[in-house]
């Protein structure tokens, strides 16, 4: 070996020793995606739905990007914000994840937002839906929806359909405040009157006292937002107190007539008009394929809007990782912005400015669908195209 070649060989092995891999070799380390979901506790259905959707995405799209293996690290936060934050910290520092996804309820996303900014780690919010979440960090991208985005449509529908006096009932935290505020302002703008604004606690709500107030107030309609998982208990009490036969119309966001629970709600849900961005009965080829594959892989479980937020979140992450060849940070964030695709819910865009999702919002009515096993479904009968989140403050 000549002196020159020997020098080159030594120099290269020094570089290799310093970096842990030969300098010229492609990175073959796994690409890690942190997934933080409520797998236990009151919001466990959200975790179950999103976990199943993420697994379906990977079964259909493989686990290789740019020659590297994609690894999803799933951790249960029980929807407790301190736990979410601690898990996110560990994923960033120890696991060196490229991105963190999930976030079943708003407080867990807000608690983790500062970590995303400090570490320049993109956060993909697949479930939580308070408008302000995307403003809590420039590294947050959302594939779920926002409450203002879906609420305006049902307020407009109500005002156009002989509902003059309404009472609102919402869960007492971020998304509930958004739903209450945007229903109130839109309904009054349309000439309606709000007679009362009622709230129930996020944890262990008791609907009896608020339903008694509704009976006493006798509005034309009761508008309701409750987070996914509470709809069935609410409907049961609504029927038990005879409200379904009282002439007071029930209207809602689609969180209440959630596909995860709708099949078991019974006749009380029939005829409930609501607005939302996803129905398992959405009549598109893309959705039919999604629902069939999801049910086949999950013992017949029907996907709900949480599942679609998870499935589309994986789409956004995969396409962005393909662009960056697995690199994270700002490059990954930028590759998520501006993505346009056909989701099971319909066409969607990740707005490059706000990092929030732009999507169609549907007005639906709960009906029995003979062609779908006579099950209860949210049947879409009107659509507002390409709705941006109206809740953004800047
Ligand atoms: C949130 C949670 C839900 O289950 C839902 O249906 C809507 C919003 C939230 O905490 O942001």
């Amino acid at each position: 070996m000549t002196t020159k070649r020997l020098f080159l060989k030594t120099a290269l092995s020094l570089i290799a020793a310093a970096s842990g891999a030969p300098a010229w070799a492609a990175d073959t380390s796994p690409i890690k995606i942190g997934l933080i979901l409520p797998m236990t506790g009151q919001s466990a259905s959200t975790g179950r739905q999103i976990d199943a959707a993420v697994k379906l995405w990977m079964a259909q799209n493989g686990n290789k990007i740019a020659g590297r293996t994609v690894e999803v690290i799933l951790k249960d936060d029980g929807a407790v914000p301190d736990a979410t934050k601690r898990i996110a910290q560990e994923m960033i520092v120890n696991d060196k994840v490229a991105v963190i996804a999930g976030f079943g309820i708003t407080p867990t996303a807000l608690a983790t937002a500062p970590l995303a900014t400090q570490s320049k780690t993109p956060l993909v919010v697949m479930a939580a839906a308070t408008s302000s979440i995307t403003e809590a960090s420039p590294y947050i991208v959302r594939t779920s929806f926002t409450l203002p985005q879906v609420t305006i449509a049902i307020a407009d529908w109500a005002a156009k359909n002989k509902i003059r006096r309404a009472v609102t009932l919402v869960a007492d935290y971020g998304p509930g405040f958004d739903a209450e505020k945007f229903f109130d302002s839109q309904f009054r703008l349309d000439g309606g009157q709000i007679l009362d604004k009622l709230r129930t606690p996020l944890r262990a709500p008791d609907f009896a006292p608020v339903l008694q107030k509704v009976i006493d107030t006798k509005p034309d309609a009761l508008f309701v937002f409750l987070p996914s998982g509470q709809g069935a208990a609410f409907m049961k009490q609504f029927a038990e107190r005879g409200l379904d036969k009282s002439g007071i119309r029930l209207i809602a966001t689609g969180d209440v007539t959630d596909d995860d629970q709708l099949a078991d709600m019974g006749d009380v849900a029939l005829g409930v008009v609501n607005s939302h961005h996803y129905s398992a009965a959405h009549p598109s080829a893309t959705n039919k394929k999604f629902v069939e594959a999801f049910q086949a892989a999950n013992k017949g479980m029907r996907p709900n809007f949480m599942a679609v937020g998870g499935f589309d979140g994986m789409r956004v992450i995969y396409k962005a990782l393909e662009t960056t060849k697995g690199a994270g940070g700002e490059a990954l964030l930028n590759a998520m912005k501006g993505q346009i695709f056909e989701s099971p819910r319909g066409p969607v865009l990740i707005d490059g400015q706000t990092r929030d999702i732009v999507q169609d919002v549907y007005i639906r009515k709960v009906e029995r669908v003979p062609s779908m096993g006579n099950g209860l479904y949210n049947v879409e009968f009107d659509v507002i195209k390409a709705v941006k989140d109206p809740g953004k403050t800047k």
Side-chain angles (χ1 to χ4, degrees):
M1 203 180 278
T2 65
T3 317
K4 206 169 157 195
R5 279 183 65 196
L6 183 65
F7 172 77
L8 189 65
K9 200 174 165 224
T10 315
L12 287 173
S13 53
L14 279 175
I15 293 167
S19 68
W24 62 87
D27 188 352
T28 54
S29 64
I31 302 171
K32 294 179 185 169
I33 300 173
L35 183 62
I36 312 180
L37 293 170
M39 301 305 295
T40 53
Q42 192 174 266
S43 303
S45 65
T46 295
R48 173 166 42 81
Q49 286 273 350
I50 296 180
D51 178 34
V54 168
K55 292 199 166 97
L56 177 63
W57 174 272
M58 299 213 33
Q60 292 180 342
N61 294 277
N63 68 343
K64 286 273 188 288
I65 293 177
R68 297 168 63 186
T69 305
V70 180
E71 247 176 50
V72 172
I73 305 171
L74 170 65
K75 289 271 158 76
D76 173 20
D77 67 357
V80 177
D82 283 346
T84 323
K85 200 173 157 185
R86 178 181 44 75
I87 294 166
Q89 178 89 36
E90 284 166 13
M91 286 177 164
I92 293 165
V93 175
N94 300 340
D95 299 315
K96 306 206 166 31
V97 294
V99 52
I100 300 179
F103 306 99
I105 64 169
T106 288
T108 65
L110 291 178
T112 314
L115 289 181
T117 309
Q118 285 156 25
S119 65
K120 299 191 193 307
T121 307
L123 289 195
V124 175
V125 174
M126 294 169 156
T130 301
S131 174
S132 63
I133 289 173
T134 43
E135 293 169 323
S137 166
Y139 282 84
I140 293 181
V141 168
R142 173 156 40 201
T143 59
S144 51
F145 70 108
T146 80
L147 264 304
Q149 186 176 47
V150 298
T151 298
I152 285 185
I154 189 66
D156 273 338
W157 180 88
K160 283 185 199 134
N161 286 273
K162 302 201 175 68
I163 293 168
R164 298 279 169 269
R165 297 154 7 114
V167 168
T168 60
L169 167 59
V170 302
D172 194 7
Y173 78 121
F177 303 155
D178 274 359
E180 182 187 88
K181 180 174 161 201
F182 281 80
F183 187 90
D184 174 84
S185 56
Q186 190 63 37
F187 189 61
R188 287 191 299 109
L189 188 66
D190 293 341
Q193 194 189 346
I194 302 288
L195 301 182
D196 204 354
K197 296 178 185 178
L198 306 169
R199 294 178 179 181
T200 45
L202 170 61
R203 312 247 173 227
D206 175 7
F207 302 112
V210 288
L211 288 175
Q212 189 54 49
K213 280 197 173 170
V214 176
I215 292 167
D216 297 342
T217 311
K218 295 190 184 56
D220 300 330
L222 171 65
F223 163 75
V224 183
F225 160 77
L226 295 168
S228 187
Q230 295 191 4
F234 170 79
M235 287 290 189
K236 191 160 170 276
Q237 292 201 26
F238 190 83
E240 277 168 8
R241 308 201 144 244
L243 269 143
D244 54 337
K245 305 201 169 60
S246 67
I248 299 170
R249 267 200 96 147
L250 180 59
I251 55 177
T253 64
D255 309 73
V256 179
T257 55
D258 180 352
D259 273 304
D260 189 71
Q261 297 187 325
L262 185 58
D264 300 321
M265 279 184 196
D267 286 354
V268 56
L270 277 175
V272 173
V273 176
N274 66 88
S275 56
H276 229 211
H277 56 292
Y278 178 69
S279 165
H282 178 62
S284 74
T286 303
N287 185 50
K288 284 200 180 110
K289 204 176 128 221
F290 170 70
V291 173
E292 273 171 30
F294 189 94
Q295 294 200 301
N298 294 285
K299 301 192 177 84
M301 175 163 82
R302 198 196 282 187
N304 72 352
F305 60 99
M306 296 301 187
V308 172
F311 194 73
D312 291 349
M314 287 301 281
R315 194 274 182 200
V316 169
I317 292 169
Y318 259 53
K319 293 290 158 195
L321 284 170
E322 282 165 14
T323 304
T324 67
K325 303 210 174 0
E330 200 165 341
L332 187 62
L333 174 75
N334 287 336
M336 292 181 184
K337 293 179 185 175
Q339 287 192 27
I340 295 184
F341 57 97
E342 168 80 9
S343 153
R345 64 186 107 178
V348 300
L349 156 74
I350 303 300
D351 187 318
Q353 243 84 51
T354 63
R355 294 160 277 101
D356 223 327
I357 190 159
V358 180
Q359 59 192 332
D360 295 353
V361 172
Y362 307 88
I363 319 274
R364 310 99 54 91
K365 188 178 194 172
V366 177
E367 290 174 17
R368 286 202 181 279
V369 181
S371 63
M372 297 175 81
N374 222 26
L376 290 176
Y377 282 91
N378 291 294
V379 177
E380 297 165 357
F381 65 87
D382 204 358
V383 60
I384 302 98
K385 300 293 290 176
V387 182
K388 275 192 165 200
D389 173 34
K392 292 285 172 279
T393 53
K394 47 185 182 248

